[in-house]
Amino acid sequence: QVHSSVMLGSVDKKTFKKLQINCESLENCVTLNNAVWNESTELFFDSDKGRGSSAKEIGDGISSVTVDELREKYGTFTYINIDVEGAEKELLQGAETTLKHHKPKLCMAVYHRSEDIFDLINRVKEINPNYKIYLRHHPHISFWDTNIYCI
């Protein structure tokens, strides 16, 4: 059985183009330039800042999707890597059915907000108490990444 990958890009057009180029040679890989959120809507970003792009009330609009919608369209995910610059809580809201019924492995950043390390772990356990959760702190130049691994 051939598994496919869905790679979600950045709201920054230049960064998304890099993703497309790096995924060109991958078989069964779909690249999408959407925000991942708790509902399908249009979100606005200051999108010319690369990694520093952030949500705004006005700006460049981009369509958002939920993880549950992506699963319905592309099939069940076995692994989801989540680092959405502080929108992890909203992503989880839009992934409840997937996490509850399909239990994909997760790697999720928990360092964007001080409460994330507690709130996100508790939220994952509320959605699916069968997850085993591991915390890892990775030294990374020039940032320090702290992630949870849910299996």
Side-chain angles (χ1 to χ4, degrees), residues 25-112:
S25 63
L26 299 176
E27 292 183 29
N28 301 310
C29 182
V30 176
T31 56
L32 303 172
N33 199 14
N34 294 96
V36 183
W37 196 241
N38 57 9
E39 65 178 337
S40 290
T41 189
E42 185 174 25
L43 301 173
F44 299 95
F45 292 86
D46 179 11
S47 63
D48 61 350
K49 304 262 194 258
R51 293 186 75 196
S53 295
S54 58
K56 303 287 181 189
E57 288 188 29
I58 58 171
D60 296 329
I62 190 165
S63 298
S64 69
V65 294
T66 69
V67 169
D68 289 339
E69 291 168 337
L70 291 171
R71 180 191 41 78
E72 288 173 16
K73 183 171 183 177
Y74 295 102
T76 302
F77 299 114
T78 58
Y79 175 78
I80 303 174
N81 188 358
I82 305 166
D83 188 345
V84 289
E85 303 307 316
E88 287 79 8
K89 177 180 153 189
E90 289 79 9
L91 183 144
L92 289 175
Q93 289 170 341
E96 287 183 13
T97 300
T98 299
L99 301 184
K100 182 179 275 188
H101 298 291
H102 303 282
K103 198 181 167 226
K105 293 174 180 72
L106 306 175
C107 172
M108 181 167 40
V110 293
Y111 62 89
H112 295 110

